[in-house]
Amino acid sequence: MWKITNDAPSVLGLKANNVRNKVLVLQSLVGFSDEEIRRLITSQPTLLQLSVKKNLSPSILYWIRQLQIGKDELKTLILGCPTLLKYSRSNVHGKLMFFQTTMGFSLSECRKLLI
């Protein structure tokens, strides 16, 4: 709780339903367990400041669709680098295009690199 309060004090002002909704989205779209949610929020409390409709859901769905990635792989990816959920889709798209067009990696190779 200290880390959350220190790193993202505005989280304390969020309503319980708002936080619950974010947790439910993370659990339903990615399959995070309660313990994984705790680890995720402890390591990156600012994720609770993101909007479900504008950030979390679209970002998660983008990763699933763009990389053709399953829940288990996505879970590994997000737990390894939670800030990925904070990147805009255009930012991620630009990075993927760089790896595919400039570096010559296939989609499968990009997926392996990230995971």
Side-chain angles (χ1 to χ4, degrees), residues 51-66:
S51 163
V52 168
K53 289 182 181 179
K54 293 180 182 177
N55 305 104
L56 289 176
S57 291
S59 293
I60 291 167
L61 294 173
Y62 180 84
W63 283 103
I64 290 169
R65 291 177 185 143
Q66 191 65 31

Side-chain angles (χ1 to χ4, degrees), residues 29-49:
L29 291 179
V30 184
F32 287 120
S33 67
D34 289 345
E35 179 55 35
E36 289 166 332
I37 292 287
R38 277 190 280 284
R39 276 193 351 219
L40 188 64
I41 300 305
T42 300
S43 70
Q44 197 62 235
T46 56
L47 290 177
L48 291 175
Q49 295 169 325

